[in-house]
């Protein structure tokens, strides 16, 4: 199977925070799992640089918008190396390939007859860069930003969203366009059923502060930033070119196209974007995966929390792999979740230092004490298969926290096995000791493979400790290994 995975592209008016990182890691974990399962995977992320918010932030800092997006986009790109993200590409919407692609998309939609000009007056939230209806506001304020939208009147280009209402509904109901989880799917459907209205897809040059992509054949207007940003998913595949292998392979011929997004932008991805694609006569994504929001110590992520939410700061104290583990284990894939350093310490001590770290050390110590080669074996393959099946199902359903719980159940199983059977009392019984240790090594090899999407480096280390890394995966049985003690994977923290 071939999979094309994308994250949302954040606007880069500030440095990345843990909420961004959470989505990047979710997508990375999915990509690495698919890779483990021998799928073909292409993983894209990027930065939304044509947003008005970037212009406003640049003014506050007295620099040009281009300087601001150059600086901040670099922080986002730096996350790749630090957090070992496996993305194949990073698209910036100020790149030529993007601008040309957006113009090509606009022209296709225009040629279809789905773009028209009209005078419009509406309530506009700059934070969302979207118009709201009076009844969508909460006490007159934007539901996302809790700010008062401004009344805007101007002539804009509109997209005929309304004519795609039936088709969108049908595609979502049938699951041809899958929205995960179910709760979000129902929200989208009820929004569609209230009736879709055409929406404006351009802004006057003045209101866009002359920043963004000009409307073809009308340089008094700038293309609406969402029309522009959503297109990144295809412009990164060289959509602008006449003939393109990337677009052909990963958009047209992927078995799955999965957009990973946060709940605040569901409408744009599940309604606007598919309708734009229908209009341009392009295929739709297959899946939209919607995660919740991260809070920090119970508070919504905001500027005032800066130190606590900076992914670069936090790695001064904790290895990035520990952050990867914590975010995937502690936060539910679909609901809002809280990040706190106290919880991180607890998880570190119980799951990593005491859990996997301690298990690995115990088995290595027994192996060193024994001093001879151990034959890897397995007498309970049904049990291992059952764990693998649960794990795979959870990963396929994007339930990363549940998949990790499954791995930790297997770790607990090993701990209990060791306490019950007391191998140190059997070191003189050659056959039985061989069996106990041989089985533990086999299970640890499997644990390490299951762990690899979330903690790729830790997984490699475990395979190395048990000399499994050079043996073809799944081919460990009857191989002989000799063990010696190694430094602890996760030294206990006070
Ligand atoms: Zn808003």
């Amino acid at each position: 199977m071939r999979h094309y995975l994308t994250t949302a592209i954040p606007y880069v008016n500030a440095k990345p925070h843990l909420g961004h990182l959470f989505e990047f890691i979710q997508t990375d974990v999915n990509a690495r799992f698919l890779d483990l399962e021998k799928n073909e995977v292409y993983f894209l992320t990027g930065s939304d640089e044509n947003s008005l918010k970037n212009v406003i932030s640049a003014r506050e800092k007295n620099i040009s918008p281009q300087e601001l997006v150059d600086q901040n986009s670099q922080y986002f790109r730096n996350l790749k190396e630090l957090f070992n993200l496996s993305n194949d590409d990073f698209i910036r919407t100020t790149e030529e390939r993007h601008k040309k692609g957006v113009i090509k998309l606009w022209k296709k939609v225009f040629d279809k007859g789905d773009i028209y000009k009209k005078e419009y007056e509406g309530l506009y939230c700059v934070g969302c860069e979207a118009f709201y209806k009076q009844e969508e506001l909460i006490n007159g304020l934007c539901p996302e930003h809790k700010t008062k939208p401004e009344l805007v009147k101007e002539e804009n280009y509109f997209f005929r969203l309304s004519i795609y209402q039936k088709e969108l509904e049908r595609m979502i109901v049938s699951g041809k366009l899958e929205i995960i989880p179910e709760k979000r799917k129902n929200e989208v459907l009820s929004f569609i059923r209230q009736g879709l209205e055409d929406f404006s897809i351009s802004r006057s040059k003045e209101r866009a502060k002359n920043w963004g992509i000009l409307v073809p054949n009308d340089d008094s207007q700038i293309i609406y930033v969402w029309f522009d940003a959503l297109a990144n998913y295809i412009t990164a595949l060289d959509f602008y070119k006449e003939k393109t292998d990337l677009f052909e392979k990963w958009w047209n011929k992927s078995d799955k196209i999965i957009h990973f997004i946060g709940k605040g932008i569901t409408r744009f991805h599940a309604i606007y974007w598919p309708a734009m694609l229908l209009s341009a006569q392009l295929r739709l994504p297959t899946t939209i995966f919607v995660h919740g929001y991260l809070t920090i110590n119970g508070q919504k992520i905001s500027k005032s929390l800066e130190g606590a939410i900076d992914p670069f700061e936090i790695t001064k104290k904790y290895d990035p792999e520990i952050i990867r583990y914590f975010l995937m284990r502690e936060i539910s894939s679909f609901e809002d979740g809280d990040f706190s350093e106290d919880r991180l310490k607890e998880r570190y001590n119980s799951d990593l230092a005491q859990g996997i770290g301690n298990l690995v050390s115990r088995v290595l110590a027994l192996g060193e004490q024994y001093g001879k080669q151990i034959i890897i074996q397995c007498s309970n393959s049904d049990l291992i298969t059952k764990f693998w099946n649960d794990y795979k199902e959870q990963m396929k359903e994007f339930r990363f926290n549940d998949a990790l719980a499954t791995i930790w159940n297997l770790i607990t199983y090993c701990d209990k096995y060791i306490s019950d059977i007391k191998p140190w009392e059997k070191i003189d019984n050659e056959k039985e000791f061989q069996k106990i240790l041989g089985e533990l090594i086999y299970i640890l090899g499997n644990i390490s493979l299951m762990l690899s999407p979330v903690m790729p480096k830790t997984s490699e280390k475990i395979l190395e400790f048990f000399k499994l890394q050079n043996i073809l995966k799944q081919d460990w049985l009857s191989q002989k290994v000799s063990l010696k003690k190694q430094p602890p994977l996760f030294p206990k923290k006070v």
Side-chain angles (χ1 to χ4, degrees):
M1 296 261 278
R2 187 177 291 166
H3 288 72
Y4 178 44
L5 312 182
T6 69
T7 71
I9 51 169
Y11 48 87
V12 288
N13 65 338
K15 288 187 196 176
H17 56 60
L18 286 173
H20 298 121
L21 185 68
F22 177 62
E23 181 174 303
F24 301 151
I25 293 175
Q26 278 192 326
T27 315
D28 186 59
V29 167
N30 193 240
R32 288 176 183 275
F33 167 70
L34 291 167
D35 186 56
L36 185 68
E37 292 276 279
K38 311 238 182 308
N39 293 282
E40 278 185 285
V41 185
Y42 196 85
F43 167 14
L44 173 74
T45 182
S47 49
D48 173 1
E49 307 192 353
N50 297 325
S51 160
L52 187 55
K53 279 167 281 196
N54 296 334
V55 183
I56 294 165
S57 294
R59 283 199 176 163
E60 284 166 7
K61 294 189 160 178
N62 256 323
I63 54 176
S64 73
Q66 191 63 52
E67 281 174 283
L68 180 96
V69 298
D70 285 348
Q71 283 172 13
N72 285 342
S73 167
Q74 188 60 50
Y75 288 112
F76 281 83
R77 278 172 280 154
N78 290 346
L79 290 176
K80 179 181 168 70
E81 207 191 317
L82 186 59
F83 287 91
N84 202 3
L85 302 172
S86 62
N87 55 297
D88 298 281
D89 197 3
F90 186 104
I91 178 131
R92 301 181 58 188
T93 59
T94 47
E95 288 176 59
E96 277 309 304
R97 60 173 170 160
H98 177 74
K99 293 180 181 174
K100 287 181 188 162
V102 170
I103 285 169
K104 182 172 170 182
L105 181 65
W106 176 286
K107 284 181 172 161
K108 276 181 173 281
V109 175
F110 187 87
D111 290 345
K112 180 81 189 307
D114 288 344
I115 293 179
Y116 63 96
K117 217 171 181 184
K118 137 178 144 175
E119 174 91 0
Y120 187 74
E121 192 180 77
L123 295 162
Y124 193 74
C125 171
V126 178
C128 297
E129 306 215 25
F131 283 101
Y132 280 98
K133 291 184 213 164
Q134 190 66 50
E135 63 266 27
E136 290 174 312
L137 303 176
I138 297 169
N139 301 325
L141 305 178
C142 163
E144 277 288 309
H145 295 91
K146 321 277 183 255
T147 50
K148 195 169 184 260
E150 44 182 313
L151 189 67
V152 165
K153 187 178 179 179
E154 65 185 32
E155 195 176 43
N156 294 142
Y157 290 95
F158 274 71
F159 171 65
R160 288 187 209 282
L161 178 66
S162 53
I163 61 172
Y164 294 101
Q165 177 170 338
K166 283 262 141 54
E167 195 164 355
L168 283 173
E169 184 181 352
R170 207 174 52 236
M171 299 201 81
I172 294 168
V173 169
S174 72
K176 222 175 153 195
L177 174 58
E178 192 182 21
I179 300 168
I180 295 171
E182 191 75 15
K183 176 166 105 180
R184 302 292 169 212
K185 172 181 169 177
N186 294 334
E187 283 170 10
V188 170
L189 280 172
S190 84
F191 184 78
I192 293 177
R193 284 166 183 157
Q194 285 166 29
L196 296 180
E197 288 173 19
D198 298 351
F199 70 100
S200 91
I201 52 167
S202 74
R203 303 287 180 257
S204 70
K205 212 178 191 174
E206 300 81 70
R207 197 147 58 79
K209 314 280 184 219
N210 198 17
W211 181 248
I213 305 170
L214 287 173
V215 167
N217 306 316
D218 183 351
D219 58 13
S220 71
Q221 294 270 316
I222 297 222
I223 295 178
Y224 174 42
V225 72
W226 271 104
F227 188 97
D228 155 349
L230 288 163
N232 91 87
Y233 303 131
I234 57 175
T235 61
L237 302 174
D238 289 344
F239 173 67
Y240 74 93
K241 287 185 183 164
E242 272 287 316
K243 209 178 162 334
T244 136
D245 295 341
L246 270 181
F247 184 75
E248 203 40 37
K249 179 172 180 185
W250 295 105
W251 193 265
N252 285 337
K253 303 230 171 93
S254 270
D255 297 288
K256 290 233 170 194
I257 297 172
I258 310 174
H259 295 318
F260 285 76
I261 60 162
K263 64 179 182 180
I265 54 176
T266 314
R267 192 181 299 176
F268 298 96
H269 283 80
I271 298 174
Y272 292 7
W273 173 233
M276 286 158 59
L277 291 166
L278 285 171
S279 171
Q281 290 160 57
L282 299 170
R283 82 168 283 192
L284 302 196
T286 58
T287 311
I288 295 163
F289 167 83
V290 188
H291 63 78
Y293 282 163
L294 212 60
T295 55
I296 310 289
N297 301 318
Q299 281 179 277
K300 206 181 157 195
I301 290 182
S302 70
K303 270 215 148 150
S304 57
L305 288 169
E306 230 152 70
I309 59 172
D310 182 342
F312 300 100
E313 274 303 309
I314 205 124
T315 55
K316 290 179 184 161
K317 278 171 89 174
Y318 299 94
D319 187 278
E321 200 131 302
I322 295 166
I323 305 298
R324 288 179 63 107
Y325 172 75
F326 179 72
L327 287 172
M328 291 302 101
R329 179 65 188 92
E330 179 76 5
I331 316 291
S332 143
S333 298
F334 310 115
E335 302 300 324
D336 295 349
D338 190 52
F339 183 98
S340 83
E341 201 181 329
D342 289 343
R343 268 311 276 159
L344 172 60
K345 272 187 201 153
E346 280 170 33
R347 284 256 177 228
Y348 177 88
N349 285 326
S350 67
D351 300 0
L352 299 178
Q354 293 279 32
I356 180 74
N358 186 48
L359 174 62
V360 165
S361 298
R362 281 172 101 181
V363 178
L364 290 172
L366 283 165
E368 180 169 304
Q369 195 187 350
Y370 179 58
K372 288 180 250 176
Q373 287 203 310
I374 299 151
I375 302 167
I376 301 175
Q377 46 197 293
C378 171
S379 65
N380 199 347
S381 62
D382 288 353
L383 181 88
I384 306 296
T385 308
K386 193 201 163 299
F387 273 100
W388 267 111
N389 289 343
D390 289 350
Y391 167 84
K392 284 181 187 176
E393 191 183 317
Q394 289 153 344
M395 286 300 257
K396 280 178 188 158
E397 292 174 356
F398 308 98
R399 291 156 54 205
F400 309 118
N401 51 330
D402 292 333
L404 284 168
T406 297
I407 304 176
W408 259 259
N409 286 338
L410 190 51
I411 291 169
T412 308
Y413 168 86
C414 292
D415 284 337
K416 186 169 183 310
Y417 177 66
I418 295 176
S419 320
D420 289 350
I421 210 158
K422 302 186 174 58
W424 51 90
E425 291 175 1
K426 294 179 175 149
I427 202 148
D428 298 324
N429 181 340
E430 186 90 4
K431 202 172 162 216
E432 199 176 349
F433 192 79
Q434 277 278 345
K435 181 174 175 294
I436 297 167
L437 234 56
E439 301 227 9
L440 284 167
I441 295 169
Y442 184 71
I443 298 178
L444 274 164
N446 281 282
I447 286 175
S448 144
L449 290 186
M450 289 185 204
L451 195 56
S452 64
V454 176
M455 305 184 88
K457 288 182 179 163
T458 304
S459 164
E460 273 304 308
K461 260 194 201 167
I462 298 173
L463 291 178
E464 225 177 277
F465 287 174
F466 292 97
K467 316 271 169 63
L468 301 172
Q469 83 274 28
N470 294 325
I471 308 171
L472 205 62
K473 281 161 192 157
Q474 316 294 349
D475 221 11
W476 299 323
L477 293 177
S478 2
Q479 298 280 346
K480 289 179 190 165
V481 295
S482 48
L483 305 181
K484 65 176 186 5
K485 283 189 202 161
Q486 302 287 346
L489 282 173
F490 303 102
K492 186 124 172 69
K493 280 202 187 190
V494 276

